[in-house]
Amino acid sequence: RWAGTARVTKPAETAIDLRVQAVAPGISLIGGAGGNVVVWSGADGVVLVDSGRAEAAPVLAEAVARLAPGNVRFVVNTHGHADHTGGNEAFARKGAVTIGHESLRERVGRDPAAGPEGAALAAGSRPLLTITDTLALHLNGDRIDVLHVADAHTAADLVVRWNDADVVALGDIYWSGQ
């Protein structure tokens, strides 16, 4: 199992440094792609919670492939901000199904709290599968519950909880140190 850092520098661009941390068997956290990205892998496939910034998507895809060979089956977005959804389109092109709150389709990914200047999600980044309350995915010998938390960080906030692993991904609902 790979754990470490990955770095790619392109001419006239800033290097993207990813940090990988094992959280539980089959679950890793990747920092540095924008918002944190959780990778869940096992016999049934790979699931990402969030997809980082668009410009980090190629480096993130390489890091995910090192952790978990095979295609990403699902990307669950904790909310619609670009640092959590920017890689959606890249993973969708490779066959991943994007999951998010219904408001990410209704408002084309705009956060109403950001005002009229809030950026919309690109069509390929919008969720294909939407939820309004809860969703359960049964994969890799565990069950994740995806729960909507109304009016937290955004109107579209989702929390992801692995039942057996006892791991929770909160997106931007919780920021360490704040």
Side-chain angles (χ1 to χ4, degrees), residues 49-75:
V49 176
D50 291 328
S51 62
R53 296 183 326 265
E55 61 272 14
V59 181
L60 178 63
E62 288 176 25
V64 170
R66 287 183 187 177
L67 283 169
N71 290 333
V72 173
R73 288 184 66 185
F74 298 100
V75 176

Side-chain angles (χ1 to χ4, degrees), residues 27 38 40 49 142-144 160-167 169:
I27 303 173
V38 179
W40 178 34
V49 176
D142 201 345
R143 168 188 161 144
I144 62 169
V160 180
R161 181 179 184 274
W162 287 258
N163 286 271
D164 293 340
D166 199 25
V167 172

Side-chain angles (χ1 to χ4, degrees), residues 104-127:
L104 293 182
R105 289 208 63 87
E106 291 171 352
R107 298 182 183 122
V108 289
R110 284 190 174 90
D111 176 9
E117 70 280 354
L121 290 177
S125 293
R126 296 179 198 144

Side-chain angles (χ1 to χ4, degrees), residues 8-34:
V8 171
T9 305
K10 295 180 182 174
E13 293 184 21
T14 305
I16 297 171
D17 289 318
L18 301 181
R19 296 164 310 284
V20 179
Q21 176 183 354
V23 175
I27 303 173
S28 297
L29 176 71
I30 299 178

Side-chain angles (χ1 to χ4, degrees), residues 72-97:
V72 173
R73 288 184 66 185
F74 298 100
V75 176
V76 180
N77 291 137
T78 59
H79 64 288
H81 291 162
D83 58 334
H84 293 261
T85 61
N88 285 3
E89 192 166 15
F91 287 104
R93 279 195 305 264
K94 295 178 180 181
V97 173

